[in-house]
Amino acid sequence: MRQSAFSGRGSRALLGGVCALALAALAGTASAVTVDSAGDSFTIDFGGNIEGDDVAGLTAQAVFEVESISGNTLVLDVRLTNTSSILWETARVSAFGFDTDPSIASASLDSTVFSDVNLGGSFSNGFGSIDLCVINNRNNCNGGGSGGLDIGEFTNLTLTLNFAGPISAVELDNFGVRYQSLSSEALGFDDDSGTGAPTTPIPEPRSTALFLVGGLLVAALARKQVLTTRS
């Protein structure tokens, strides 16, 4: 009987290629994130900037997960954490936000820490315009408002985003956080304010990466079956 073409070095080469492509899918990154199904999730790590200069130890993290996407509505669960270091005596995350494509028609917020979700406006400190912000300030995104997250604190919140028409996918981009009450004797800051942008490219949503890996493995197994049958 003729030896299967899938055996030996050919088998190892194919499986090696599948593994390499799978790892590439899991490691994919982008400046914007497209979500299109429930369970899509991704994490953003923010740095800190005061008056145009990056500063050490001023950080935050946001973990996003799609609860649902249906009709003209996208529901996002977000876990926001103030991860700033002991270089800071005080540092408060007073707002966060991002842009969407298509544009948001309206939004609502379920949170025990933040009271308002505003559409349009901008973050100060040179950050610029932003489509949506979560904040304790019903007027705009620029002011810091009161409350928020002190160092080491976190909160879970839910955002419901409504669009003018039906959606199958939404692109999220221009992620940012707003910092208030920034004081660090070591770094020479006293009751300043600042902003933060992502410090690294944003990983592809987890469910999308896993879907790609699953597809590659299924294709490899199907090819093995075909070659085995022909042997």
Side-chain angles (χ1 to χ4, degrees):
M1 178 180 293
R2 183 162 56 94
Q3 185 180 21
S4 169
F6 194 80
S7 63
R9 287 182 295 178
S11 171
R12 290 193 295 271
L14 180 57
L15 288 176
V18 169
C19 290
L21 289 172
L23 289 173
L26 286 172
T29 57
S31 59
V33 175
T34 298
V35 295
D36 58 13
S37 60
D40 279 355
S41 64
F42 59 94
T43 300
I44 300 176
D45 292 307
F46 297 97
N49 186 288
I50 298 176
E51 296 182 356
D53 294 322
D54 292 338
V55 292
L58 188 59
T59 60
Q61 184 184 80
V63 180
F64 289 77
E65 182 170 355
V66 176
E67 181 177 313
S68 64
I69 179 169
S70 178
N72 67 336
T73 301
L74 169 66
V75 181
L76 293 170
D77 293 326
V78 184
R79 182 182 180 95
L80 183 66
T81 307
N82 184 343
T83 56
S84 299
S85 76
I86 59 173
L87 283 172
W88 297 88
E89 286 80 59
T90 59
R92 180 165 51 91
V93 175
S94 60
F96 83 98
F98 51 87
D99 291 350
T100 70
D101 184 15
S103 298
I104 308 169
S106 64
S108 59
L109 170 70
D110 183 3
S111 172
T112 59
V113 172
F114 298 100
S115 59
D116 302 291
V117 52
N118 298 325
L119 303 185
S122 64
F123 280 163
S124 58
N125 192 52
F127 187 94
S129 63
I130 198 160
D131 289 348
L132 171 151
C133 74
V134 172
I135 195 170
N136 288 321
N137 174 2
R138 69 180 62 183
N139 297 315
N140 56 62
C141 295
N142 193 42
S146 60
L149 299 173
D150 291 326
I151 296 172
E153 293 184 339
F154 69 89
T155 188
N156 296 310
L157 57 92
T158 299
L159 278 167
T160 301
L161 311 182
N162 302 306
F163 300 85
I167 53 170
S168 58
V170 177
E171 182 180 274
L172 309 178
D173 197 5
N174 195 38
F175 298 91
V177 292
R178 179 94 168 111
Y179 298 107
Q180 300 287 133
S181 307
L182 301 179
S183 295
S184 170
E185 184 176 355
L187 299 176
F189 294 102
D190 183 20
D191 199 26
D192 284 287
S193 62
T195 52
T199 56
T200 59
I202 303 166
E204 293 290 349
R206 184 182 306 152
S207 65
T208 301
L210 291 178
F211 173 81
L212 292 173
V213 173
L216 291 167
L217 294 176
V218 168
L221 291 174
R223 178 172 173 79
K224 177 182 179 181
Q225 181 63 39
V226 169
L227 294 174
T228 301
T229 301
R230 290 177 178 174
S231 62

